[in-house]
Amino acid sequence: MEWTAGTRERFVWWDGQLGPFRTESHAAPVNYGCLPDTLNPADNAEIDAVWLGPALPVGTVLAAAPLGLLWLLDGDHKVIFAAEAGTADAGSSAKLLAWFPPGRGARLLSADEAEVWLHSLGAGTVDG
């Protein structure tokens, strides 16, 4: 976890370590992080991941099957997970979609579509 839901302090995973990044102007509506040791060619960084549900501390490591994919026009898609079983609700998904401006074309895709996208990047099946 690089950015805890409800906070503005953002951390980043670089070279196998988590470190301070910056203070954002708005709090994250969901928990935000990455899938270490993967690569998204859209931004040449680890594949982004979001965890729906209660706030999780920075540095938390979770394992779960993807719930879906947040698809964006620029290709910087985010894999969606639930922090805990049963914590992903319509409100969490709505907050996630509202976080991105309309010009980014955000839309939610299924877990199967997340797996297909991950496989296309050579990431295969992953657990967040």
Side-chain angles (χ1 to χ4, degrees), residues 51 62-66 81-82 126-128:
W51 285 266
L62 300 171
F81 298 92
V126 300
D127 286 332

Side-chain angles (χ1 to χ4, degrees), residues 4 10-11 13 20 35 44 50-51 53 59 62 67 70 73 77 102 104 107 112 115:
T4 299
R10 188 169 176 184
F11 292 74
W13 182 260
L35 303 177
N44 289 316
V50 296
W51 285 266
L62 300 171
L67 290 178
L70 177 75
L73 284 172
H77 311 319
R104 292 202 64 195
R107 58 188 170 111
D112 289 340
E115 292 286 356

